[in-house]
Amino acid sequence: MTETIIRLTDLRSDTRYATHAPQMPAQVRAATGHLEDALARPLHDLRISVTDRCNFRCVYCMPKDVFDKDYAFLPQSSLLSFEEIERAARLFVEHGVEKLRLTGGEPLLRKHIERLIEMLARLRTPSGKPIDITLTTNGSLLARRAQSLKDAGLTRVTVSLDSLDDTIFRQMNDVDFPVAKVLEGIAEAQHVGLGPVKVNMVVKRGTNDSEIVPMARHFHGSGVVLRFIEYMDVGTSNGWRMDEVMPSADVIARLNDALPVEPLEANYAGETAQRWQYRDGGGEVGVISSVTRAFCGTCSRARLSTEGKLYLCLFASSGYDLRTLLRNGASDAQISTVIGDIWHKRTDRYSALRTAATGLPEDAPPKVEMSYIGG
């Protein structure tokens, strides 16, 4: 495959990535429990980044050549407080959000995060249902925090793990962290009931694609849902390298040769992962085709950044400043109306950027069919 590289800079140093200051609404509107964007996509999921810091330096996310010892992370005063996060989350829930995912950086680096989880666990949907509260972690601190997270009200946990081979894993996290510690965290999360535990493996061709089958064999029959994610640019620090992308279709083909699989229906509309099950009853596996099969058409996710910016897409070039509203006396009704106005105007973003960077067609190719993998 021809190599294609498009360099992207750290967004904080690029003045093109300005923050929009939301306009205070002339008239407020009550949330109805259902909010759709300009393409009729409902808002169901909110990712909340609780810190910009991480103790790993994964090459596809926070590479050392950008996030070195001199990198200026956000001061504590710039981060949303737990009270501000809870307030914003409550307003999003009133608009129809049913799942909150806590992310980072590494979210377990945020001090006393259990207190935030306790606050969020008290939220209810307009119909009275509890909120699904999940957390994505690199697993380095999970073994000793799993019980307290569960006790605080965390529902599930997703662990990023790119290899079982200790040498490859240390190379990819780039801080010499051993894989055994992450596996301990996964086991403890299962033990305390933070499940089903999901494990995300970013597959980088030529680096860890040899780990596809070993990872599958390791988690086969364990109750852990393993998901393979196509290596991609995350929009802030690295570049598109199509020669390093292993399409999900190839992942499934390789997996099927060792452990035959068959497709499953999606759990819900807009689910990012394509679901498969082992034919021998050994559980479920998934693929997230971020590059070769963009899922923008059904995307129901928004992201609230560490400093209170609302992003409508991972690849959005700018965010909307909610922190100023939260701190400068805006009422709940005003902020709720602003959120509704922003989402109503949302249109596709990632598909266009992906097409420009990769040359792949705008329309998503069909799902991987069993005929492709010889099933």
Side-chain angles (χ1 to χ4, degrees), residues 264-298:
L264 288 171
E265 293 296 321
N267 281 313
Y268 55 88
E271 187 173 19
T272 57
Q274 290 175 258
R275 302 171 61 222
W276 300 76
Q277 66 181 0
Y278 296 110
R279 291 182 177 176
D280 64 3
E284 181 181 328
V285 68
V287 290
I288 300 177
S289 311
S290 309
V291 177
T292 63
R293 185 178 178 270
F295 33 78
C296 306
T298 56

Side-chain angles (χ1 to χ4, degrees), residues 329-371:
S331 68
D332 284 357
Q334 288 172 321
I335 299 174
S336 177
T337 301
V338 167
I339 292 171
D341 289 343
I342 292 171
W343 187 261
H344 278 308
K345 297 175 183 177
R346 175 183 183 247
T347 56
D348 187 78
R349 175 64 176 163
Y350 170 60
S351 288
L353 287 173
R354 181 197 70 150
T355 298
T358 66
L360 292 170
E362 194 68 51
D363 295 331
K367 291 184 178 182
V368 181
E369 301 293 347
M370 291 305 297
S371 59

Side-chain angles (χ1 to χ4, degrees), residues 161-173 177-180 183 201 207-208 210-211 214-215:
L161 178 62
D162 295 329
S163 177
L164 292 173
D165 182 282
D166 200 54
T167 299
I168 295 175
F169 182 69
R170 290 173 189 257
Q171 175 188 353
M172 293 193 74
N173 67 55
F177 193 87
V179 70
L183 294 176
M201 174 186 175
T207 299
N208 69 334
S210 62
E211 286 291 285
M215 285 277 285

Side-chain angles (χ1 to χ4, degrees), residues 27-313:
Q27 185 176 11
V28 299
R29 296 182 303 278
T32 65
H34 182 79
L35 185 61
E36 292 188 350
D37 67 8
L39 301 179
R41 295 170 295 188
L43 175 61
H44 281 163
D45 304 79
L46 179 66
R47 299 173 64 93
I48 303 173
S49 177
V50 297
T51 180
D52 60 335
R53 300 170 187 266
C54 186
N55 54 344
F56 283 10
R57 288 296 176 267
C58 298
V59 294
Y60 54 81
C61 185
M62 294 181 69
K64 280 183 177 177
D65 59 349
V66 175
F67 299 90
D68 57 17
K69 61 182 179 64
D70 297 319
Y71 186 81
F73 289 96
L74 292 169
Q76 185 69 27
S77 60
S78 294
L79 276 60
L80 290 184
S81 69
F82 288 169
E83 290 73 20
E84 289 167 336
I85 292 174
E86 188 275 340
R87 184 186 179 196
R90 174 166 47 82
L91 299 177
F92 276 94
V93 168
E94 291 174 0
H95 278 298
V97 164
E98 298 177 349
K99 181 169 75 174
L100 302 174
R101 178 175 295 279
L102 303 181
T103 68
E106 169 48 49
L108 296 186
L109 292 181
R110 181 76 185 258
K111 291 182 179 179
H112 312 300
I113 193 172
E114 287 88 351
R115 186 167 72 85
L116 173 62
I117 294 171
E118 288 177 351
M119 296 165 68
L120 297 176
R122 290 194 287 267
L123 297 176
R124 294 293 182 270
T125 67
S127 64
K129 295 194 307 182
I131 300 299
D132 184 17
I133 305 174
T134 70
L135 181 144
T136 297
T137 174
N138 59 31
S140 60
L141 304 173
L142 185 57
R144 65 174 182 261
R145 302 283 290 279
Q147 187 65 64
S148 63
L149 294 169
K150 175 66 175 179
D151 292 344
L154 190 68
T155 311
R156 294 180 289 106
V157 67
T158 297
V159 180
S160 300
L161 178 62
D162 295 329
S163 177
L164 292 173
D165 182 282
D166 200 54
T167 299
I168 295 175
F169 182 69
R170 290 173 189 257
Q171 175 188 353
M172 293 193 74
N173 67 55
D174 208 16
V175 293
D176 204 33
F177 193 87
V179 70
K181 294 292 185 181
V182 177
L183 294 176
E184 288 176 16
I186 293 171
E188 185 63 19
Q190 283 189 289
H191 175 70
V192 303
L194 287 173
V197 175
K198 294 181 180 178
V199 170
N200 286 347
M201 174 186 175
V202 174
V203 181
K204 185 177 180 182
R205 188 190 294 275
T207 299
N208 69 334
D209 57 299
S210 62
E211 286 291 285
I212 293 171
V213 172
M215 285 277 285
R217 290 192 187 283
H218 180 84
F219 292 111
H220 178 269
S222 69
V224 170
V225 179
L226 176 61
R227 301 189 301 186
F228 300 98
I229 304 176
E230 291 177 343
Y231 176 74
M232 63 185 294
D233 173 70
V234 295
T236 59
S237 58
N238 53 337
W240 292 90
R241 296 183 62 107
M242 289 304 296
D243 60 316
E244 295 177 338
V245 175
M246 186 165 188
S248 293
D250 294 350
V251 172
I252 291 296
R254 186 178 297 186
L255 178 62
N256 188 65
D257 286 342
L259 296 165
V261 292
E262 58 190 11
L264 288 171
E265 293 296 321
N267 281 313
Y268 55 88
E271 187 173 19
T272 57
Q274 290 175 258
R275 302 171 61 222
W276 300 76
Q277 66 181 0
Y278 296 110
R279 291 182 177 176
D280 64 3
E284 181 181 328
V285 68
V287 290
I288 300 177
S289 311
S290 309
V291 177
T292 63
R293 185 178 178 270
F295 33 78
C296 306
T298 56
C299 179
S300 60
R301 294 157 190 80
R303 179 166 64 93
L304 186 64
S305 75
T306 314
E307 69 274 36
K309 295 178 184 176
L310 174 60
Y311 290 94
L312 305 183
C313 174

